[in-house]
């Protein structure tokens, strides 16, 4: 069964304290791995798509990396405005073709204190 | 519009009533998805549309749930005889195509509360 597990569930950082969020996945065939940011009361906001092991993408203080079993979201020198829930999702290759369906992890709630 | 639009943003209904939730996707996006996010839970896939057809309905939790899409655009998710366990945030997303590795853009969601 395709599955996504994120850790930790919650993370508290001081402003400027770099850290990483983990996303472990089990999927029959990976078409893509997605990172989203979700603020309270809002829908998820797209951050990155990674397609193959070894791929990396960066946006401001965020960098996402991918291996064959997991993905990391590295946050460098975070600011309070980076506080949010970060969601990881995989898109699997289906037996009857790809539907684009995303399988989400439970998310990591990040709090950055000034 | 500029983004995915969902209405209403909040809905409170009595147990046993029917509700309709609306999603207006990004113009030109052929794929549309419905997800459900319950308190403390991750996003749960409900249904996928490609154009007006729904090739994947595997996530609909019971036959009380149905969805349709017309004109390749607006979609409506209908929940009949609502139950308290239906209380959740219902999120709609759209993407350019359903197959291939393209990102999905989400609306703000409809918060449904069944009392």
């Amino acid at each position: 069964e395709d599955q996504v597990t994120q850790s930790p569930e919650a993370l508290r950082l001081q402003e400027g304290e770099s850290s990483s969020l983990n996303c472990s996945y089990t999927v029959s065939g990976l078409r893509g791995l997605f990172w989203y940011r979700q603020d309270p009361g809002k829908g998820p906001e797209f951050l990155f798509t990674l397609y193959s092991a070894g791929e990396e993408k960066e946006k401001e203080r965020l960098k996402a990396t991918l291996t064959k079993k997991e993905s990391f979201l590295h946050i460098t020198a975070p600011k309070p405005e980076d506080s949010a829930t970060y969601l990881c999702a995989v898109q699997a290759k289906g037996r009857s073709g790809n539907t684009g369906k995303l399988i989400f992890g439970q998310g990591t709630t990040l709090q950055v204190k000034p | 519009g500029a983004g995915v639009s969902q209405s209403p943003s909040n809905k409170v209904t009595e147990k046993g009533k029917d509700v309709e939730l609306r999603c207006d996707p990004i113009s030109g996006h052929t794929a549309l998805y419905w997800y459900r996010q319950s308190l403390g839970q991750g996003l749960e896939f409900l249904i996928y549309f490609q154009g007006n057809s729904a090739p994947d309905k595997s996530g609909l939790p019971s036959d009380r749930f149905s969805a349709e899409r017309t004109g390749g655009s607006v979609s409506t998710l209908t929940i009949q005889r609502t139950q308290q366990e239906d209380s959740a945030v219902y999120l709609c997303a759209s993407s350019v195509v359903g197959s291939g590795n393209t990102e999905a853009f989400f609306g703000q969601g409809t918060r449904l509360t069944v009392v």
Side-chain angles (χ1 to χ4, degrees):
Chain A
E1 181 184 350
D2 300 330
Q3 194 170 1
V4 178
T5 303
Q6 291 187 246
S7 62
E9 289 185 11
L11 181 62
R12 288 184 179 182
L13 299 173
Q14 287 296 130
E15 184 173 1
E17 179 186 2
S18 301
S19 187
S20 296
L21 282 55
N22 178 264
C23 170
S24 298
Y25 63 91
T26 303
V27 66
S28 53
L30 181 70
R31 292 192 68 93
L33 185 140
F34 299 76
W35 282 98
Y36 285 85
R37 167 189 172 133
Q38 187 173 28
D39 292 296
K42 297 194 174 182
E45 174 190 345
F46 170 77
L47 293 174
F48 303 108
T49 310
L50 301 168
Y51 299 119
S52 58
E55 189 175 1
E56 299 182 352
K57 288 195 176 173
E58 287 187 67
K59 179 180 179 180
E60 296 181 352
R61 294 177 293 283
L62 301 177
K63 179 180 177 180
T65 61
L66 181 65
T67 72
K68 288 186 177 180
K69 294 185 178 180
E70 57 191 358
S71 176
F72 291 94
L73 184 65
H74 307 278
I75 303 177
T76 302
K79 298 182 178 181
E81 54 261 42
D82 295 323
S83 298
T85 296
Y86 290 85
L87 300 170
C88 173
V90 297
Q91 190 180 68
K93 294 177 182 176
R95 273 172 283 179
S96 56
N98 176 43
T99 67
K101 167 182 165 182
L102 294 173
I103 301 163
F104 281 87
Q106 301 282 62
T108 293
T109 299
L110 172 66
Q111 183 181 26
V112 182
K113 294 188 172 183
Chain B
V4 177
S5 178
Q6 292 187 245
S7 61
S9 54
N10 282 283
K11 176 73 176 177
V12 180
T13 189
E14 291 181 353
K15 179 181 173 181
K17 300 274 186 166
D18 298 351
V19 295
E20 286 189 352
L21 311 180
R22 176 189 168 104
C23 173
D24 199 342
I26 294 171
S27 178
H29 281 194
T30 56
L32 185 147
Y33 311 84
W34 284 97
Y35 288 83
R36 178 168 73 173
Q37 188 171 34
S38 303
L39 192 62
Q41 303 291 317
L43 274 78
E44 173 190 15
F45 169 80
L46 298 178
I47 187 169
Y48 154 69
F49 285 93
Q50 179 60 36
N52 291 336
S53 63
D56 190 350
K57 306 179 184 179
S58 62
L60 294 178
S62 76
D63 58 8
R64 296 187 294 105
F65 287 72
S66 63
E68 66 174 11
R69 189 179 184 193
T70 56
S73 180
V74 173
S75 175
T76 303
L77 177 68
T78 300
I79 308 173
Q80 295 179 310
R81 306 181 301 283
T82 51
Q83 304 294 313
Q84 288 186 330
E85 60 262 29
D86 299 334
S87 296
V89 176
Y90 290 82
L91 290 159
C92 175
S94 69
S95 65
V96 174
V97 291
S99 59
N101 301 322
T102 57
E103 57 268 20
F105 294 91
F106 283 82
Q108 300 283 61
T110 293
R111 181 175 296 279
L112 175 66
T113 304
V114 181
V115 297

